[in-house]
Amino acid sequence: MKKALLGNEAIAYGLLAANVEVMAAYPGTPSSEIFETYQKLIRNLQLPAVGEWSTNEKVAFETAYAAAITGKRAACGMKMVGLNVASDPLMSSAYIGNRGGFLVISADDPGFYSSQTEQDSRYFAKFARIPALDPTDPQDALNLAVSGIEISEKFEIPVILRPVLRVCHGRQIVEIPTFEFKNRKGNFEREIERWAAVPRTPRLKQGISLLTKLKEIEKFNFENFIKPRLKNLKGTKHLIVASGTSYGFALEVVEDVGIDIDILKIDMPTPLPVNLLKEILQHYEQVVVFEETYPLIEEQIAAAVPVKGKLTGDVFQIDEATHERIAEGLQNAGILHKNIYIGTPFNDVPPPRKPALCPGCPHRTVFYGIKKVFGNNAIYPSDIGCYTLGLNQKAVDTILCMGASAGLAGGFSIADRSKPIVATIGDSTFLHSGIHPLINSIANNHRYVLVILDNGTVAMTGLQPTPERTGGVSIEKIVEGCGVQPFVLQYDGKVETTVEFFKKVKEAYKNSKVPVVAVVKEFCTFDRENARLPGKFATVNPEKCTGCGYCMDTFGCPAFEWKDGKVTVNRYFCVGCGVCLSGVCPFNAFVEDGR
């Protein structure tokens, strides 16, 4: 069967073709659609499989890994910064191993399109001493998902599949193999020296065994991935070694410019059979390595033969692979004399637009209320989520990682006692990694305000459900369990209500010796089942509008536009939240649109 699929969708089909019966994941762009598709397919096809959203990536890893210990085939999904969270069990699982195939899917984001780093998950594989697979396109991602499960089961070791953004969200006509999905009986077999190995002797045995496995996987890599590709090499003067999307771009560049050069694709960049590769590479006058994002392959083969790449400064060292950057690398290496991609004009490019919270988003009203009450002298640590865009209202000062708002707020409360501190965090992020820093702050008497923006969904990555929605978990009760009584606001879309609420929070903060927690019960405007929009559309009375720009600077709804020195409301963008009618303008220029 052939279907036009996103890379993420293709990976999900690959998991089913590999008979993966258990998958757990935490949403994060660009990985989210992998689990969503897997979950949809097992439901539609009524397969005997289980798919679960987890509270964070570490939990997702451990849930799926337990299934692999019992002999079932399993996978976990996350974006690359989520692999940081899952790194603790990842490192140990490499030593312990697994009985059923176990695939760790970590989607990378070269170019920082939706992530705070550009880190390379393949390095985690090398660090943990496990294999990594690096797909080029959606079809390759499906095939390598199947291969990854089989390799994992053959060698009883976790395997990382590392698709990047352009693979995850690229679309291609993909051939889906026919498969018969079988229900394996999970059976935990007690083997204490393996599953509960303690330092030193049992772990040392596992470490020695792991090194032996790596050598075996190196040979497997050569025999099954590299050797079959050698027949396509013509023995040209130069050689390109490439993996992932870099391989696809290199193929197209070579075809476009018409140069005669061999290209060797690396599917498994670690562990790499360097000695066997050396025998091939030494026959070429020059070898150029293209890969995203760090020089993993280059570092390994540069010890055997001279190569040009990131380490020599000839190949792009940051950002994603493009035709222009591949051609520039070949030009720097003296292989290509003219970069035909440079200077190509693009017509009809839309004007730049900074990211903004959606029209009607309750976060905007909350940030407006916070700034109105706490002012410009406060420190505003924030977190990872839609609410990061409180930057536009100057209500966000720091963004570090998931859950860091509370941790940083605690540190600021020690280091700078002269300023009020108001941290913001979303409900999913709080459940992911915000509880521990709150407990720490309560135990150590850190003084700050923590505002939990609870819209009941993981909005930024596509409205995935939170434990509140699926399991009846109460954030208010969690906060109470940590040791403080939270202030709770049922969001009503009115500026006055929000401002009055934060005035009460501020009064409590003045006399508190521990964090003051405020939970704002919101909604996402895209969550049609739960959004509470009153249908009050706005327009501007031009006679009252002075053109001062206060509403633009402090509230900044995307529906607000400048026209002839006055603010207007774009009816196409207005969603009828009615917030601007409740006190945003100092001159009450916003009025209800009765048309």
Side-chain angles (χ1 to χ4, degrees):
M1 179 173 65
K2 290 185 177 181
K3 293 187 79 170
L5 297 175
L6 288 176
N8 283 345
E9 294 170 331
I11 290 170
Y13 273 99
L15 296 179
L16 294 185
N19 214 97
V20 168
E21 292 181 77
V22 177
M23 184 178 185
Y26 184 81
T29 307
S31 73
S32 303
E33 298 89 354
I34 300 170
F35 176 79
E36 289 175 332
T37 305
Y38 177 85
Q39 193 174 55
K40 181 174 70 174
L41 289 172
I42 63 175
R43 285 174 181 168
N44 293 347
L45 300 174
Q46 297 183 326
L47 300 177
V50 176
E52 294 181 352
W53 284 119
S54 301
T55 49
N56 65 29
E57 295 85 358
K58 179 177 183 289
V59 175
F61 186 105
E62 291 159 351
T63 301
Y65 180 57
I69 287 175
T70 71
K72 283 183 175 288
R73 290 185 165 186
C76 61
M78 62 201 72
K79 67 184 295 178
M80 81 290 193
V81 286
L83 193 56
N84 299 338
V85 180
S87 62
D88 198 352
L90 171 72
M91 300 301 289
S92 290
S93 67
Y95 287 83
I96 300 167
N98 41 273
R99 288 175 53 226
F102 180 48
L103 192 66
V104 181
I105 306 164
S106 180
D108 283 9
D109 188 18
F112 305 90
Y113 284 96
S114 59
S115 308
Q116 61 268 40
T117 76
E118 202 188 37
Q119 66 193 64
D120 188 336
S121 295
R122 302 175 309 160
Y123 270 78
F124 253 121
K126 191 170 189 295
F127 186 28
R129 293 175 168 170
I130 63 174
L133 299 171
D134 195 4
T136 293
D137 53 41
Q139 181 71 67
D140 202 28
L142 185 154
N143 297 341
L144 289 180
V146 176
S147 298
I149 287 291
E150 292 172 347
I151 292 166
S152 172
E153 192 161 294
K154 177 181 175 66
F155 293 100
E156 297 196 0
I157 192 170
V159 172
I160 288 180
L161 178 70
R162 194 288 296 252
V164 298
L165 169 69
R166 299 303 178 186
V167 174
C168 293
H169 290 165
R171 193 175 289 275
Q172 183 183 26
I173 296 175
V174 174
E175 179 129 11
I176 302 168
T178 56
F179 59 88
E180 182 183 351
F181 200 86
K182 298 177 182 178
N183 185 13
R184 285 187 180 185
K185 185 174 176 12
N187 179 32
F188 176 73
E189 296 178 356
R190 182 169 284 110
E191 194 178 344
I192 292 174
E193 279 220 348
R194 181 178 190 182
W195 310 125
V198 294
R200 155 176 153 87
T201 303
R203 281 290 184 177
L204 182 60
K205 283 182 181 178
Q206 289 179 339
I208 294 168
S209 174
L210 179 57
L211 292 175
T212 303
K213 277 185 191 178
L214 279 179
K215 289 298 180 185
E216 292 172 355
I217 296 169
E218 274 186 23
K219 293 176 185 175
F220 179 92
N221 187 2
F222 185 81
E223 292 295 327
N224 293 271
F225 288 121
I226 297 172
K227 193 174 181 179
R229 298 186 183 280
L230 298 182
K231 64 179 182 294
N232 298 321
L233 302 180
K234 299 172 291 185
T236 56
K237 186 177 179 181
H238 306 297
L239 172 70
I240 294 172
V241 176
S243 73
T245 55
S246 296
Y247 172 74
F249 280 115
L251 280 178
E252 292 175 358
V253 167
V254 167
E255 182 180 347
D256 288 349
V257 300
I259 57 174
D260 189 24
I261 186 170
D262 283 343
I263 306 178
L264 178 62
K265 181 178 188 286
I266 300 295
D267 295 288
M268 185 189 288
T270 184
L272 207 57
V274 174
N275 291 331
L276 293 170
L277 274 173
K278 180 180 178 180
E279 297 176 15
I280 301 159
L281 303 181
Q282 64 188 4
H283 295 293
Y284 289 89
E285 185 175 308
Q286 189 162 250
V287 177
V288 185
V289 181
F290 293 108
E291 55 188 321
E292 291 177 321
T293 49
Y294 299 167
L296 177 63
I297 295 170
E298 183 184 354
E299 283 178 348
Q300 293 176 84
I301 63 176
V305 293
V307 298
K308 292 197 173 182
K310 299 176 189 292
L311 297 175
T312 60
D314 294 293
V315 172
F316 65 99
Q317 296 175 327
I318 194 169
D319 214 341
E320 63 180 339
T322 63
H323 294 103
E324 293 89 343
R325 293 187 177 116
I326 297 294
E328 184 180 23
L330 293 174
Q331 198 172 21
N332 291 340
I335 296 170
L336 183 65
H337 300 295
K338 183 182 179 183
N339 190 339
I340 65 170
Y341 301 99
I342 298 297
T344 304
F346 287 91
N347 299 319
D348 301 321
V349 176
R353 182 181 68 87
K354 66 180 180 181
L357 292 167
C358 301
C361 177
H363 293 342
R364 181 179 290 105
T365 313
V366 174
F367 281 125
Y368 180 86
I370 290 171
K371 283 299 298 281
K372 191 85 173 171
V373 172
F374 288 91
N376 293 322
N377 190 46
I379 303 173
Y380 295 111
S382 195
D383 233 293
I384 309 298
C386 297
Y387 48 89
T388 299
L389 296 171
L391 286 162
N392 295 333
Q393 292 168 272
K394 299 180 177 61
V396 170
D397 286 322
T398 65
I399 305 163
L400 182 62
C401 64
M402 292 284 280
S405 57
L408 289 175
F412 287 135
S413 74
I414 297 168
D416 189 347
R417 299 176 186 270
S418 66
K419 301 180 183 71
I421 300 159
V422 184
T424 47
I425 189 170
D427 49 340
S428 179
T429 308
F430 178 71
L431 295 172
H432 177 286
S433 50
I435 299 170
H436 294 93
L438 175 60
I439 293 171
N440 181 71
S441 291
I442 293 169
N444 289 290
N445 295 323
H446 297 157
R447 286 188 67 252
Y448 58 86
V449 175
L450 178 65
V451 182
I452 303 174
L453 304 163
D454 183 5
N455 59 12
T457 186
V458 193
M460 186 172 66
T461 54
L463 298 178
Q464 291 83 13
T466 67
E468 290 178 281
R469 190 75 57 85
T470 59
V473 173
S474 167
I475 284 180
E476 296 94 303
K477 288 182 179 178
I478 290 173
V479 173
E480 289 175 15
C482 292
V484 296
Q485 187 69 33
F487 288 79
V488 180
L489 171 65
Q490 296 292 338
Y491 178 81
D492 64 359
K494 294 179 180 177
V495 168
E496 301 99 320
T497 309
T498 307
V499 170
E500 286 304 313
F501 173 76
F502 282 110
K503 284 180 179 177
K504 292 177 184 177
V505 171
K506 186 176 182 180
E507 281 303 310
Y509 173 61
K510 287 179 181 177
N511 303 312
S512 178
K513 295 181 180 180
V514 294
V516 175
V517 179
V519 180
V520 184
K521 309 298 285 186
E522 304 178 353
F523 56 83
C524 173
T525 55
F526 278 89
D527 187 358
R528 300 305 181 196
E529 292 182 11
N530 298 285
R532 303 184 298 276
L533 294 170
K536 290 185 177 181
F537 295 87
T539 188
V540 174
N541 183 340
E543 294 180 2
K544 289 188 174 182
C545 178
T546 65
C548 67
Y550 176 82
C551 60
M552 290 287 204
D553 295 336
T554 63
F555 197 69
C557 177
F560 297 172
E561 295 178 350
W562 286 107
K563 186 176 181 180
D564 300 327
K566 304 274 187 176
V567 174
T568 63
V569 177
N570 186 320
R571 297 180 71 192
Y572 179 79
F573 287 115
C574 181
V575 297
C577 71
V579 176
C580 61
L581 303 173
S582 67
V584 169
C585 176
F587 306 100
N588 296 317
F590 290 103
V591 295
E592 191 165 353
D593 189 350
R595 290 177 292 173

